[in-house]
PDB file of all heavy atoms in Angstrom:
ATOM      1  N   GLU A   2    -222.141  17.797 -37.958  1.00  0.00           N
ATOM      2  CA  GLU A   2    -222.782  17.557 -36.682  1.00  0.00           C
ATOM      3  C   GLU A   2    -222.177  18.443 -35.595  1.00  0.00           C
ATOM      4  O   GLU A   2    -222.888  18.941 -34.717  1.00  0.00           O
ATOM      5  CB  GLU A   2    -222.650  16.085 -36.299  1.00  0.00           C
ATOM      6  CG  GLU A   2    -223.405  15.138 -37.224  1.00  0.00           C
ATOM      7  CD  GLU A   2    -223.133  13.698 -36.881  1.00  0.00           C
ATOM      8  OE1 GLU A   2    -222.260  13.467 -36.003  1.00  0.00           O
ATOM      9  OE2 GLU A   2    -223.769  12.808 -37.465  1.00  0.00           O
ATOM     10  N   TYR A  41    -224.573  17.093 -29.189  1.00  0.00           N
ATOM     11  CA  TYR A  41    -223.713  16.275 -30.049  1.00  0.00           C
ATOM     12  C   TYR A  41    -224.024  14.789 -29.877  1.00  0.00           C
ATOM     13  O   TYR A  41    -223.994  14.020 -30.843  1.00  0.00           O
ATOM     14  CB  TYR A  41    -222.247  16.549 -29.725  1.00  0.00           C
ATOM     15  CG  TYR A  41    -221.281  15.871 -30.657  1.00  0.00           C
ATOM     16  CD1 TYR A  41    -221.204  16.235 -32.002  1.00  0.00           C
ATOM     17  CD2 TYR A  41    -220.439  14.865 -30.212  1.00  0.00           C
ATOM     18  CE1 TYR A  41    -220.322  15.617 -32.868  1.00  0.00           C
ATOM     19  CE2 TYR A  41    -219.550  14.242 -31.053  1.00  0.00           C
ATOM     20  CZ  TYR A  41    -219.496  14.620 -32.384  1.00  0.00           C
ATOM     21  OH  TYR A  41    -218.619  13.996 -33.240  1.00  0.00           O
ATOM     22  N   ARG A  42    -224.355  14.375 -28.672  1.00  0.00           N
ATOM     23  CA  ARG A  42    -224.713  12.981 -28.441  1.00  0.00           C
ATOM     24  C   ARG A  42    -226.004  12.626 -29.178  1.00  0.00           C
ATOM     25  O   ARG A  42    -226.114  11.557 -29.791  1.00  0.00           O
ATOM     26  CB  ARG A  42    -224.858  12.710 -26.948  1.00  0.00           C
ATOM     27  CG  ARG A  42    -225.312  11.282 -26.656  1.00  0.00           C
ATOM     28  CD  ARG A  42    -225.401  10.994 -25.169  1.00  0.00           C
ATOM     29  NE  ARG A  42    -225.886   9.640 -24.934  1.00  0.00           N
ATOM     30  CZ  ARG A  42    -225.142   8.549 -24.992  1.00  0.00           C
ATOM     31  NH1 ARG A  42    -223.861   8.656 -25.286  1.00  0.00           N
ATOM     32  NH2 ARG A  42    -225.662   7.367 -24.757  1.00  0.00           N
ATOM     33  N   ALA A  45    -225.156  12.508 -32.950  1.00  0.00           N
ATOM     34  CA  ALA A  45    -224.331  11.349 -33.287  1.00  0.00           C
ATOM     35  C   ALA A  45    -225.116  10.056 -33.164  1.00  0.00           C
ATOM     36  O   ALA A  45    -224.946   9.133 -33.976  1.00  0.00           O
ATOM     37  CB  ALA A  45    -223.102  11.312 -32.382  1.00  0.00           C
ATOM     38  N   SER A  46    -225.987   9.944 -32.184  1.00  0.00           N
ATOM     39  CA  SER A  46    -226.821   8.743 -32.036  1.00  0.00           C
ATOM     40  C   SER A  46    -227.793   8.611 -33.189  1.00  0.00           C
ATOM     41  O   SER A  46    -228.051   7.500 -33.674  1.00  0.00           O
ATOM     42  CB  SER A  46    -227.582   8.791 -30.704  1.00  0.00           C
ATOM     43  OG  SER A  46    -226.693   8.845 -29.611  1.00  0.00           O
ATOM     44  N   SER A  48    -227.377   9.636 -36.249  1.00  0.00           N
ATOM     45  CA  SER A  48    -226.731   9.336 -37.532  1.00  0.00           C
ATOM     46  C   SER A  48    -225.947   8.029 -37.528  1.00  0.00           C
ATOM     47  O   SER A  48    -225.872   7.346 -38.545  1.00  0.00           O
ATOM     48  CB  SER A  48    -225.783  10.477 -37.910  1.00  0.00           C
ATOM     49  OG  SER A  48    -224.773  10.611 -36.921  1.00  0.00           O
ATOM     50  N   GLY A  49    -225.334   7.657 -36.383  1.00  0.00           N
ATOM     51  CA  GLY A  49    -224.467   6.476 -36.370  1.00  0.00           C
ATOM     52  C   GLY A  49    -224.801   5.433 -35.354  1.00  0.00           C
ATOM     53  O   GLY A  49    -224.156   4.389 -35.313  1.00  0.00           O
ATOM     54  N   GLY A  50    -225.762   5.667 -34.491  1.00  0.00           N
ATOM     55  CA  GLY A  50    -226.095   4.690 -33.483  1.00  0.00           C
ATOM     56  C   GLY A  50    -225.427   4.983 -32.153  1.00  0.00           C
ATOM     57  O   GLY A  50    -224.601   5.895 -32.012  1.00  0.00           O
ATOM     58  N   ARG A  51    -225.791   4.160 -31.171  1.00  0.00           N
ATOM     59  CA  ARG A  51    -225.330   4.396 -29.802  1.00  0.00           C
ATOM     60  C   ARG A  51    -223.825   4.173 -29.652  1.00  0.00           C
ATOM     61  O   ARG A  51    -223.140   4.934 -28.970  1.00  0.00           O
ATOM     62  CB  ARG A  51    -226.096   3.480 -28.860  1.00  0.00           C
ATOM     63  CG  ARG A  51    -225.748   3.671 -27.396  1.00  0.00           C
ATOM     64  CD  ARG A  51    -226.606   2.763 -26.526  1.00  0.00           C
ATOM     65  NE  ARG A  51    -226.279   2.936 -25.115  1.00  0.00           N
ATOM     66  CZ  ARG A  51    -226.865   2.270 -24.132  1.00  0.00           C
ATOM     67  NH1 ARG A  51    -227.841   1.374 -24.434  1.00  0.00           N
ATOM     68  NH2 ARG A  51    -226.511   2.469 -22.880  1.00  0.00           N
ATOM     69  N   VAL A  52    -223.305   3.125 -30.290  1.00  0.00           N
ATOM     70  CA  VAL A  52    -221.879   2.811 -30.157  1.00  0.00           C
ATOM     71  C   VAL A  52    -221.021   3.925 -30.765  1.00  0.00           C
ATOM     72  O   VAL A  52    -220.036   4.372 -30.185  1.00  0.00           O
ATOM     73  CB  VAL A  52    -221.561   1.463 -30.821  1.00  0.00           C
ATOM     74  CG1 VAL A  52    -220.059   1.180 -30.774  1.00  0.00           C
ATOM     75  CG2 VAL A  52    -222.330   0.345 -30.134  1.00  0.00           C
ATOM     76  N   VAL A  53    -221.415   4.389 -31.943  1.00  0.00           N
ATOM     77  CA  VAL A  53    -220.674   5.465 -32.601  1.00  0.00           C
ATOM     78  C   VAL A  53    -220.743   6.747 -31.774  1.00  0.00           C
ATOM     79  O   VAL A  53    -219.749   7.466 -31.628  1.00  0.00           O
ATOM     80  CB  VAL A  53    -221.227   5.696 -34.015  1.00  0.00           C
ATOM     81  CG1 VAL A  53    -220.558   6.903 -34.664  1.00  0.00           C
ATOM     82  CG2 VAL A  53    -221.003   4.455 -34.867  1.00  0.00           C
ATOM     83  N   ALA A  54    -221.905   7.032 -31.218  1.00  0.00           N
ATOM     84  CA  ALA A  54    -222.058   8.231 -30.403  1.00  0.00           C
ATOM     85  C   ALA A  54    -221.169   8.177 -29.159  1.00  0.00           C
ATOM     86  O   ALA A  54    -220.517   9.164 -28.805  1.00  0.00           O
ATOM     87  CB  ALA A  54    -223.519   8.404 -29.995  1.00  0.00           C
ATOM     88  N   THR A  55    -221.117   7.012 -28.499  1.00  0.00           N
ATOM     89  CA  THR A  55    -220.260   6.874 -27.320  1.00  0.00           C
ATOM     90  C   THR A  55    -218.791   7.057 -27.679  1.00  0.00           C
ATOM     91  O   THR A  55    -218.031   7.719 -26.961  1.00  0.00           O
ATOM     92  CB  THR A  55    -220.484   5.503 -26.677  1.00  0.00           C
ATOM     93  OG1 THR A  55    -221.868   5.352 -26.337  1.00  0.00           O
ATOM     94  CG2 THR A  55    -219.640   5.358 -25.424  1.00  0.00           C
ATOM     95  N   ASP A  56    -218.384   6.475 -28.798  1.00  0.00           N
ATOM     96  CA  ASP A  56    -216.997   6.611 -29.231  1.00  0.00           C
ATOM     97  C   ASP A  56    -216.641   8.071 -29.517  1.00  0.00           C
ATOM     98  O   ASP A  56    -215.577   8.557 -29.106  1.00  0.00           O
ATOM     99  CB  ASP A  56    -216.770   5.758 -30.478  1.00  0.00           C
ATOM    100  CG  ASP A  56    -215.360   5.887 -31.006  1.00  0.00           C
ATOM    101  OD1 ASP A  56    -214.430   5.366 -30.374  1.00  0.00           O
ATOM    102  OD2 ASP A  56    -215.175   6.533 -32.069  1.00  0.00           O
ATOM    103  N   ARG A  57    -217.525   8.782 -30.181  1.00  0.00           N
ATOM    104  CA  ARG A  57    -217.254  10.186 -30.494  1.00  0.00           C
ATOM    105  C   ARG A  57    -217.237  11.060 -29.248  1.00  0.00           C
ATOM    106  O   ARG A  57    -216.418  11.983 -29.127  1.00  0.00           O
ATOM    107  CB  ARG A  57    -218.301  10.704 -31.473  1.00  0.00           C
ATOM    108  CG  ARG A  57    -218.203  10.081 -32.868  1.00  0.00           C
ATOM    109  CD  ARG A  57    -219.261  10.634 -33.795  1.00  0.00           C
ATOM    110  NE  ARG A  57    -219.178  10.032 -35.116  1.00  0.00           N
ATOM    111  CZ  ARG A  57    -220.018  10.312 -36.125  1.00  0.00           C
ATOM    112  NH1 ARG A  57    -221.010  11.199 -35.920  1.00  0.00           N
ATOM    113  NH2 ARG A  57    -219.874   9.727 -37.286  1.00  0.00           N
ATOM    114  N   LEU A  58    -218.123  10.755 -28.305  1.00  0.00           N
ATOM    115  CA  LEU A  58    -218.155  11.529 -27.073  1.00  0.00           C
ATOM    116  C   LEU A  58    -216.883  11.322 -26.242  1.00  0.00           C
ATOM    117  O   LEU A  58    -216.340  12.264 -25.667  1.00  0.00           O
ATOM    118  CB  LEU A  58    -219.391  11.158 -26.252  1.00  0.00           C
ATOM    119  CG  LEU A  58    -220.733  11.647 -26.812  1.00  0.00           C
ATOM    120  CD1 LEU A  58    -221.874  11.150 -25.946  1.00  0.00           C
ATOM    121  CD2 LEU A  58    -220.763  13.155 -26.895  1.00  0.00           C
ATOM    122  N   MET A  59    -216.412  10.069 -26.189  1.00  0.00           N
ATOM    123  CA  MET A  59    -215.177   9.808 -25.455  1.00  0.00           C
ATOM    124  C   MET A  59    -213.991  10.494 -26.128  1.00  0.00           C
ATOM    125  O   MET A  59    -213.098  11.039 -25.464  1.00  0.00           O
ATOM    126  CB  MET A  59    -214.932   8.307 -25.363  1.00  0.00           C
ATOM    127  CG  MET A  59    -215.918   7.571 -24.453  1.00  0.00           C
ATOM    128  SD  MET A  59    -215.870   8.153 -22.732  1.00  0.00           S
ATOM    129  CE  MET A  59    -217.334   9.202 -22.682  1.00  0.00           C
ATOM    130  N   THR A  60    -213.969  10.483 -27.452  1.00  0.00           N
ATOM    131  CA  THR A  60    -212.917  11.187 -28.175  1.00  0.00           C
ATOM    132  C   THR A  60    -212.964  12.685 -27.883  1.00  0.00           C
ATOM    133  O   THR A  60    -211.934  13.329 -27.674  1.00  0.00           O
ATOM    134  CB  THR A  60    -213.057  10.952 -29.683  1.00  0.00           C
ATOM    135  OG1 THR A  60    -213.014   9.535 -29.944  1.00  0.00           O
ATOM    136  CG2 THR A  60    -211.942  11.639 -30.451  1.00  0.00           C
TER     137      THR A  60
END
Side-chain angles (χ1 to χ4, degrees):
E2 294 174 354
Y41 186 66
R42 177 178 178 81
S46 300
S48 61
R51 182 177 180 180
V52 176
V53 174
T55 303
D56 178 72
R57 292 180 181 178
L58 289 177
M59 290 299 102
T60 303

